[in-house]
Amino acid sequence: MNTPHIQTFPNLQALTAAAIDTVLEQAAAAITERGCFTIALAGGNTPKPLYEGLAKANTPWAQWQIFWGDERYVPHDHPDSNAGMAMATWLKHIDIPTANIHPMPTDEPDPAVAADRYEATLQQVLAPATGTIPSLDLILLGMGPDGHTASLFPHTAALQIRDRLVTVGDKDGQPRLTLTVPFINQARYILFLVTGANKQTALRHILSRTGDPHTYPAMLIEGQCTWFLDQAAAEGVVKQQGV
Protein backbone atom coordinates (compact mmCIF):
# COMPACT_ATOMS: atom_id res chain seq x y z
CA MET A 1 0.00 0.00 0.00
CA ASN A 2 1.01 3.63 -0.40
CA THR A 3 1.87 5.57 2.75
CA PRO A 4 -0.91 8.10 3.35
CA HIS A 5 -0.08 11.78 3.59
CA ILE A 6 -1.80 13.31 6.63
CA GLN A 7 -2.44 16.99 7.30
CA THR A 8 -4.24 18.45 10.29
CA PHE A 9 -6.07 21.77 10.48
CA PRO A 10 -7.38 23.75 13.45
CA ASN A 11 -10.96 23.81 12.17
CA LEU A 12 -13.26 23.09 9.25
CA GLN A 13 -12.66 26.52 7.73
CA ALA A 14 -8.91 25.95 7.43
CA LEU A 15 -9.42 22.40 6.18
CA THR A 16 -11.86 23.65 3.55
CA ALA A 17 -9.50 26.35 2.30
CA ALA A 18 -6.76 23.76 1.83
CA ALA A 19 -9.18 21.36 0.15
CA ILE A 20 -10.28 24.02 -2.34
CA ASP A 21 -6.64 24.73 -3.23
CA THR A 22 -5.92 21.01 -3.58
CA VAL A 23 -8.88 20.32 -5.85
CA LEU A 24 -8.05 23.27 -8.09
CA GLU A 25 -4.38 22.28 -8.23
CA GLN A 26 -5.30 18.73 -9.23
CA ALA A 27 -7.73 20.08 -11.83
CA ALA A 28 -5.15 22.40 -13.37
CA ALA A 29 -2.56 19.63 -13.57
CA ALA A 30 -4.99 17.15 -15.14
CA ILE A 31 -6.22 19.68 -17.70
CA THR A 32 -2.64 20.59 -18.62
CA GLU A 33 -1.61 16.96 -18.95
CA ARG A 34 -4.73 15.33 -20.39
CA GLY A 35 -7.11 18.13 -21.38
CA CYS A 36 -9.77 17.04 -18.90
CA PHE A 37 -10.30 16.71 -15.15
CA THR A 38 -12.41 13.88 -13.73
CA ILE A 39 -13.59 13.98 -10.12
CA ALA A 40 -15.94 11.94 -7.92
CA LEU A 41 -17.71 13.84 -5.16
CA ALA A 42 -18.48 12.87 -1.58
CA GLY A 43 -21.71 13.46 0.30
CA GLY A 44 -22.28 14.50 3.90
CA ASN A 45 -21.82 17.79 5.71
CA THR A 46 -18.02 18.12 5.63
CA PRO A 47 -17.65 18.81 1.87
CA LYS A 48 -20.50 21.35 1.70
CA PRO A 49 -18.28 24.40 2.31
CA LEU A 50 -15.77 22.98 -0.18
CA TYR A 51 -18.47 22.93 -2.85
CA GLU A 52 -19.61 26.42 -1.90
CA GLY A 53 -16.02 27.61 -2.30
CA LEU A 54 -15.57 25.90 -5.65
CA ALA A 55 -18.68 27.70 -6.91
CA LYS A 56 -16.61 30.91 -6.77
CA ALA A 57 -13.51 29.47 -8.44
CA ASN A 58 -12.07 30.56 -11.76
CA THR A 59 -11.38 27.37 -13.72
CA PRO A 60 -12.35 26.04 -17.18
CA TRP A 61 -15.49 24.19 -16.07
CA ALA A 62 -16.12 22.84 -19.56
CA GLN A 63 -13.06 20.63 -19.05
CA TRP A 64 -14.37 19.10 -15.83
CA GLN A 65 -16.29 15.81 -15.69
CA ILE A 66 -18.23 15.37 -12.43
CA PHE A 67 -19.10 11.99 -10.92
CA TRP A 68 -20.12 10.77 -7.46
CA GLY A 69 -18.49 8.26 -5.13
CA ASP A 70 -21.78 7.04 -3.71
CA GLU A 71 -25.45 7.89 -3.51
CA ARG A 72 -28.43 7.19 -1.33
CA TYR A 73 -31.14 5.47 -3.35
CA VAL A 74 -33.50 8.44 -3.37
CA PRO A 75 -34.57 10.90 -6.10
CA HIS A 76 -32.05 13.63 -6.85
CA ASP A 77 -34.42 16.27 -5.47
CA HIS A 78 -34.67 14.45 -2.13
CA PRO A 79 -33.02 16.21 0.86
CA ASP A 80 -30.76 13.17 1.41
CA SER A 81 -29.41 13.07 -2.16
CA ASN A 82 -25.67 13.60 -2.51
CA ALA A 83 -26.18 14.79 -6.08
CA GLY A 84 -28.88 17.21 -4.97
CA MET A 85 -26.61 18.69 -2.31
CA ALA A 86 -23.74 19.27 -4.74
CA MET A 87 -26.08 20.74 -7.33
CA ALA A 88 -27.61 23.16 -4.83
CA THR A 89 -24.33 24.33 -3.29
CA TRP A 90 -22.08 24.34 -6.36
CA LEU A 91 -22.98 22.94 -9.75
CA LYS A 92 -26.08 25.01 -10.50
CA HIS A 93 -24.03 28.15 -9.86
CA ILE A 94 -21.30 27.55 -12.47
CA ASP A 95 -21.10 27.50 -16.25
CA ILE A 96 -20.57 23.78 -16.80
CA PRO A 97 -22.23 21.76 -19.57
CA THR A 98 -25.02 19.56 -18.27
CA ALA A 99 -23.48 16.67 -20.20
CA ASN A 100 -20.40 16.92 -17.97
CA ILE A 101 -22.38 16.18 -14.79
CA HIS A 102 -22.95 12.46 -14.16
CA PRO A 103 -25.11 11.78 -11.07
CA MET A 104 -25.67 8.19 -10.08
CA PRO A 105 -29.08 7.03 -11.38
CA THR A 106 -31.63 6.21 -8.70
CA ASP A 107 -34.72 5.72 -10.86
CA GLU A 108 -34.47 1.97 -11.47
CA PRO A 109 -36.68 -0.44 -9.51
CA ASP A 110 -33.58 -2.61 -9.07
CA PRO A 111 -30.51 -0.76 -7.72
CA ALA A 112 -28.26 -3.36 -9.37
CA VAL A 113 -29.51 -2.18 -12.76
CA ALA A 114 -28.69 1.39 -11.77
CA ALA A 115 -25.18 0.27 -10.76
CA ASP A 116 -24.75 -1.33 -14.19
CA ARG A 117 -25.86 1.90 -15.86
CA TYR A 118 -23.40 3.99 -13.90
CA GLU A 119 -20.57 1.60 -14.61
CA ALA A 120 -21.34 1.92 -18.32
CA THR A 121 -21.24 5.72 -17.98
CA LEU A 122 -17.85 5.59 -16.30
CA GLN A 123 -16.47 3.28 -18.97
CA GLN A 124 -17.81 5.47 -21.74
CA VAL A 125 -16.57 8.80 -20.39
CA LEU A 126 -13.22 7.56 -19.11
CA ALA A 127 -12.63 5.38 -22.20
CA PRO A 128 -10.01 3.07 -20.68
CA ALA A 129 -7.70 0.93 -22.73
CA THR A 130 -9.05 -2.58 -23.29
CA GLY A 131 -8.46 -4.82 -20.31
CA THR A 132 -7.54 -2.06 -17.85
CA ILE A 133 -9.41 -0.51 -14.95
CA PRO A 134 -10.26 3.12 -15.76
CA SER A 135 -9.24 5.80 -13.30
CA LEU A 136 -10.48 9.14 -12.07
CA ASP A 137 -8.13 12.05 -11.44
CA LEU A 138 -9.51 12.76 -7.96
CA ILE A 139 -11.93 11.05 -5.61
CA LEU A 140 -13.21 12.93 -2.57
CA LEU A 141 -14.06 10.71 0.38
CA GLY A 142 -15.41 11.18 3.87
CA MET A 143 -15.39 8.71 6.73
CA GLY A 144 -18.08 7.86 9.26
CA PRO A 145 -17.53 7.15 12.95
CA ASP A 146 -17.90 3.45 12.07
CA GLY A 147 -15.00 3.66 9.59
CA HIS A 148 -17.11 3.44 6.46
CA THR A 149 -16.24 5.46 3.37
CA ALA A 150 -18.33 6.08 0.26
CA SER A 151 -21.11 3.52 0.84
CA LEU A 152 -18.70 0.77 1.82
CA PHE A 153 -20.09 -0.17 5.22
CA PRO A 154 -18.62 -2.58 7.79
CA HIS A 155 -19.14 -6.29 7.13
CA THR A 156 -21.22 -5.82 3.97
CA ALA A 157 -21.00 -7.64 0.66
CA ALA A 158 -19.88 -4.52 -1.23
CA LEU A 159 -16.46 -4.75 0.42
CA GLN A 160 -15.76 -8.00 -1.44
CA ILE A 161 -16.51 -6.78 -4.97
CA ARG A 162 -13.37 -6.80 -7.09
CA ASP A 163 -14.68 -7.18 -10.66
CA ARG A 164 -16.87 -4.08 -10.88
CA LEU A 165 -16.51 -0.30 -10.84
CA VAL A 166 -19.88 0.28 -9.16
CA THR A 167 -21.92 -1.91 -6.86
CA VAL A 168 -24.87 -1.78 -4.45
CA GLY A 169 -24.01 -0.96 -0.87
CA ASP A 170 -26.16 -1.65 2.19
CA LYS A 171 -26.81 0.81 5.00
CA ASP A 172 -29.02 -0.87 7.61
CA GLY A 173 -31.01 -2.66 4.91
CA GLN A 174 -31.29 0.40 2.66
CA PRO A 175 -29.55 0.21 -0.74
CA ARG A 176 -26.86 2.68 -1.73
CA LEU A 177 -24.86 2.95 -4.93
CA THR A 178 -21.11 3.05 -4.40
CA LEU A 179 -17.83 2.93 -6.25
CA THR A 180 -15.93 -0.25 -5.46
CA VAL A 181 -12.66 -0.63 -3.57
CA PRO A 182 -10.47 -1.43 -6.61
CA PHE A 183 -11.90 1.42 -8.67
CA ILE A 184 -11.37 3.93 -5.85
CA ASN A 185 -7.81 2.68 -5.37
CA GLN A 186 -7.11 3.21 -9.06
CA ALA A 187 -7.65 6.99 -8.78
CA ARG A 188 -4.67 9.24 -9.36
CA TYR A 189 -5.40 11.14 -6.14
CA ILE A 190 -7.70 10.33 -3.20
CA LEU A 191 -8.56 13.02 -0.70
CA PHE A 192 -10.20 12.12 2.61
CA LEU A 193 -11.95 14.95 4.46
CA VAL A 194 -12.58 13.93 8.08
CA THR A 195 -13.90 16.11 10.89
CA GLY A 196 -15.20 15.57 14.40
CA ALA A 197 -14.07 13.93 17.64
CA ASN A 198 -16.39 10.98 17.02
CA LYS A 199 -14.03 9.80 14.25
CA GLN A 200 -11.02 9.34 16.55
CA THR A 201 -11.47 5.63 17.33
CA ALA A 202 -11.87 4.62 13.71
CA LEU A 203 -8.98 6.85 12.61
CA ARG A 204 -6.71 5.33 15.24
CA HIS A 205 -7.32 1.83 13.88
CA ILE A 206 -7.16 2.88 10.24
CA LEU A 207 -4.04 5.04 10.33
CA SER A 208 -2.13 2.61 12.55
CA ARG A 209 -3.20 -0.30 10.31
CA THR A 210 -4.12 -2.27 13.43
CA GLY A 211 -7.82 -2.59 12.72
CA ASP A 212 -9.79 -5.15 10.75
CA PRO A 213 -10.57 -3.70 7.30
CA HIS A 214 -13.97 -5.37 7.29
CA THR A 215 -14.75 -3.55 10.53
CA TYR A 216 -13.15 -0.29 9.34
CA PRO A 217 -13.65 -0.29 5.54
CA ALA A 218 -11.65 2.90 4.95
CA MET A 219 -8.59 0.69 5.58
CA LEU A 220 -9.28 -0.92 2.19
CA ILE A 221 -8.50 2.35 0.42
CA GLU A 222 -4.81 2.00 -0.31
CA GLY A 223 -4.25 4.22 -3.34
CA GLN A 224 -2.61 7.66 -3.46
CA CYS A 225 -4.31 8.94 -0.31
CA THR A 226 -4.13 12.28 1.44
CA TRP A 227 -6.04 12.72 4.70
CA PHE A 228 -7.20 16.18 5.77
CA LEU A 229 -8.24 16.06 9.44
CA ASP A 230 -9.56 18.81 11.65
CA GLN A 231 -8.08 19.10 15.14
CA ALA A 232 -11.07 17.42 16.77
CA ALA A 233 -10.63 14.29 14.63
CA ALA A 234 -6.83 14.26 14.90
CA GLU A 235 -6.60 14.82 18.67
CA GLY A 236 -4.88 11.86 20.27
CA VAL A 237 -4.62 10.08 16.92
CA VAL A 238 -2.04 11.74 14.70
CA LYS A 239 0.47 12.31 17.51
CA GLN A 240 0.16 8.65 18.48
CA GLN A 241 0.89 7.60 14.92
CA GLY A 242 4.00 9.76 14.80
CA VAL A 243 2.89 11.59 11.66
Side-chain angles (χ1 to χ4, degrees):
M1 63 167 287
N2 295 293
T3 301
H5 180 55
I6 302 167
Q7 295 187 48
T8 63
F9 301 91
N11 50 45
L12 177 59
Q13 182 179 6
L15 182 153
T16 297
I20 292 170
D21 288 344
T22 298
V23 172
L24 293 175
E25 288 167 3
Q26 292 295 315
I31 290 168
T32 297
E33 294 172 16
R34 294 177 291 279
C36 178
F37 175 58
T38 58
I39 180 173
L41 307 183
N45 291 322
T46 300
K48 277 186 180 180
L50 165 61
Y51 300 156
E52 292 167 349
L54 288 173
K56 305 170 187 175
N58 181 18
T59 183
W61 295 116
Q63 291 170 272
W64 287 49
Q65 296 283 344
I66 311 288
F67 300 90
W68 273 261
D70 72 317
E71 184 58 277
R72 297 172 175 88
Y73 212 70
V74 295
H76 294 155
D77 60 359
H78 191 281
D80 292 337
S81 170
N82 291 341
M85 184 270 281
M87 290 294 299
T89 56
W90 170 23
L91 299 175
K92 74 174 185 180
H93 304 291
I94 61 174
D95 186 18
I96 185 172
T98 302
N100 291 21
I101 302 174
H102 310 281
M104 289 180 159
T106 56
D107 56 351
E108 296 283 355
D110 183 353
V113 175
D116 288 343
R117 282 175 53 194
Y118 204 62
E119 177 152 338
T121 297
L122 286 163
Q123 294 278 8
Q124 180 181 13
V125 176
L126 301 178
T130 302
T132 65
I133 300 176
S135 60
L136 292 161
D137 293 312
L138 171 60
I139 296 180
L140 296 173
L141 293 174
M143 191 199 74
D146 61 356
H148 87 268
T149 191
S151 280
L152 300 166
F153 290 93
H155 304 290
T156 57
L159 305 184
Q160 308 291 340
I161 302 301
R162 295 294 181 270
D163 58 349
R164 299 291 308 275
L165 310 184
V166 186
T167 191
V168 179
D170 180 352
K171 169 61 172 173
D172 298 329
Q174 298 298 315
R176 304 271 189 101
L177 297 184
T178 185
L179 301 183
T180 61
V181 169
F183 183 53
I184 293 173
N185 283 334
Q186 192 77 3
R188 294 181 178 92
Y189 194 96
I190 300 165
L191 180 59
F192 277 93
L193 307 176
V194 182
T195 61
N198 62 344
K199 312 292 178 64
Q200 289 177 10
T201 298
L203 278 172
R204 190 172 294 111
H205 286 288
I206 291 163
L207 297 179
S208 67
R209 310 305 295 176
T210 58
D212 173 5
H214 297 285
T215 301
Y216 300 101
M219 286 184 68
L220 297 169
I221 308 307
E222 299 178 337
Q224 297 290 338
C225 294
T226 294
W227 292 74
F228 281 7
L229 313 177
D230 75 349
Q231 189 59 42
E235 186 70 33
V237 176
V238 169
K239 182 182 297 184
Q240 178 176 318
Q241 306 311 323
V243 295

